[in-house]
Amino acid sequence: MTKGALLYSGKAKTVYLSEKPDELIVSFRDDITAFDGGKKDQLSGKGASNAKVSAFLFQLLEEAGIKTHLIRMEDPTTMRVRRLTMVPLEVIVRNRAAGSIVRNYPFTEGQVFDTPIVVTDYKDDTRHDPMINDDIIIALGLLTRNEIAIIKEAALKINSVLKAFFENIGLDLVDFKVEFGRCGDDILLGDEISMDSMRLWERGTMKSMDKDVYRFGKGDVMETYTAVLNRICKE
Ligand SMILES: Nc1ncnc2c1ncn2[C@@H]1O[C@H](COP(=O)(O)OP(=O)(O)O)[C@@H](O)[C@H]1O
Ligand SMILES: [Mg+2]
């Protein structure tokens, strides 16, 4: 593997060029942040656990016919991916009410939605990732109406696959966030899917098995992440 010039260093991953113009090298770091970077720590092994879970779930999604940026793992914290022009949106799918949707609207924590709810946020930490609607997405020239439909449909398909998978290993998929990017005429799933980007509750309880453990000091973060990793990868 040839790690080329640094392209971007985000809150939890660093992205490098590779020897091929259409491929990038993503390094999952041990940094963990919450509240728009307001809370920050380093947890040994966190990068590797998120990388492994992401790679596993991307593969699972590929098998279900969803195109992702994953090419292969180069080492435990390093993923080779297709280079995408990222769409600056966070596409969030919610099966149950938790987090911001409970703060912002009169839902009860844990309330099950009859139909999954898809929400889009504009990805911009300086603006605190404001919620965005279809008309604003189009006015900003981020996506066409047809592309919005394609992305929402992909997000719901991802939800069906992941929800069923987690149910099998005793975890409730409460919600998750994904990011997409363009690759030629295609729109692919990019970034990561990990305990940082999903809410997972121990089945039948509301016990957090995800980054809420870090956000709200609910217990040992790495113990939780490792437990989820072991359950996922024993599958
Ligand atoms: N395949 C890809 N091609 C280009 N950029 C990507 C790809 N996958 C993810 N990214 C971007 O790389 C960055 C990953 O680092 P991360 O630490 O998550 O950053 P951030 O703090 O912006 O969320 C994100 O900005 C993400 O949108
Ligand atoms: Mg990120």
Side-chain angles (χ1 to χ4, degrees), residues 7-15 22-24 26-29 31 33 58 68-70 79-90 123 125 129 177 179-182 188-192:
L7 190 62
Y8 180 77
S9 188
K11 295 184 294 294
K13 304 186 290 296
T14 307
V15 183
D22 53 348
E23 296 181 4
L24 297 175
V26 179
S27 168
F28 286 69
R29 306 194 314 268
D31 299 283
T33 71
F58 281 147
T68 80
H69 69 162
L70 174 70
M79 185 183 285
R80 179 181 288 269
V81 302
R82 287 182 190 84
R83 183 174 191 165
L84 306 180
T85 305
M86 296 306 288
V87 177
L89 294 177
E90 301 201 331
K123 187 173 155 72
D125 282 335
D129 302 335
K177 178 272 301 182
E179 296 178 24
F180 293 89
R182 296 170 193 282
L188 269 59
L189 175 63
D191 204 50
E192 68 176 275

Side-chain angles (χ1 to χ4, degrees), residues 3 30 43 50 76 97-98 139-140 184 186 196 200:
K3 209 189 258 179
D30 283 340
L43 300 173
N50 276 10
L140 284 172
D186 261 351
D196 280 9
L200 296 166

Side-chain angles (χ1 to χ4, degrees), residues 99-167:
S100 62
I101 201 161
V102 175
R103 286 196 302 280
N104 296 334
Y105 305 94
F107 291 117
T108 312
E109 176 95 5
Q111 180 179 337
V112 176
F113 299 125
D114 293 337
T115 310
I117 292 177
V118 182
V119 171
T120 45
D121 285 357
Y122 180 59
K123 187 173 155 72
D124 184 340
D125 282 335
T126 65
R127 295 185 158 86
H128 309 292
D129 302 335
M131 193 189 283
I132 189 169
N133 72 8
D134 295 359
D135 286 349
I136 301 175
I137 293 172
I138 292 162
L140 284 172
L142 303 180
L143 294 169
T144 65
R145 205 166 288 278
N146 185 44
E147 287 173 331
I148 294 172
I150 290 170
I151 280 185
K152 286 189 183 171
E153 199 186 307
L156 287 171
K157 184 160 183 199
I158 293 165
N159 183 51
S160 317
V161 174
L162 295 184
K163 194 168 177 287
F165 172 78
F166 283 112
E167 247 159 42

